[in-house]
Amino acid sequence: LAVQETLAAIGYGVAQSGQFDAHTRAVVEAFQRRFRTARIDGAFDDQCAAIAADVAAQTARLRIARLRG
């Protein structure tokens, strides 16, 4: 699932099971507690996906900057 791939890419410990299971929902809730505190419901909706994509892009830029020294 894209949600699992995205959250794993930004450092969340989510198994790549391909199913939106209870563990994935708990990880989404953890993500929401950090990045979208207005609504913590465990649903990886369009708003969460957009926030996660932004965080992933920032994380990638930081990793590249570190590699360049």
Side-chain angles (χ1 to χ4, degrees), residues 18-34:
Q19 297 192 23
F20 196 91
D21 54 16
H23 178 69
T24 302
R25 184 177 191 87
V27 173
V28 171
E29 288 173 352
F31 172 82
Q32 290 171 336
R33 277 192 289 281
R34 172 113 190 250

Side-chain angles (χ1 to χ4, degrees), residues 40-59:
I40 300 167
D41 59 7
F44 198 73
D45 55 23
D46 290 342
Q47 185 183 38
C48 278
I51 295 168
D54 287 344
V55 173
Q58 291 173 23
T59 301

Side-chain angles (χ1 to χ4, degrees), residues 3-27:
V3 57
Q4 293 169 336
E5 291 176 20
T6 303
L7 292 174
I10 59 177
Y12 283 86
V14 61
Q16 306 267 334
S17 68
Q19 297 192 23
F20 196 91
D21 54 16
H23 178 69
T24 302
R25 184 177 191 87
V27 173

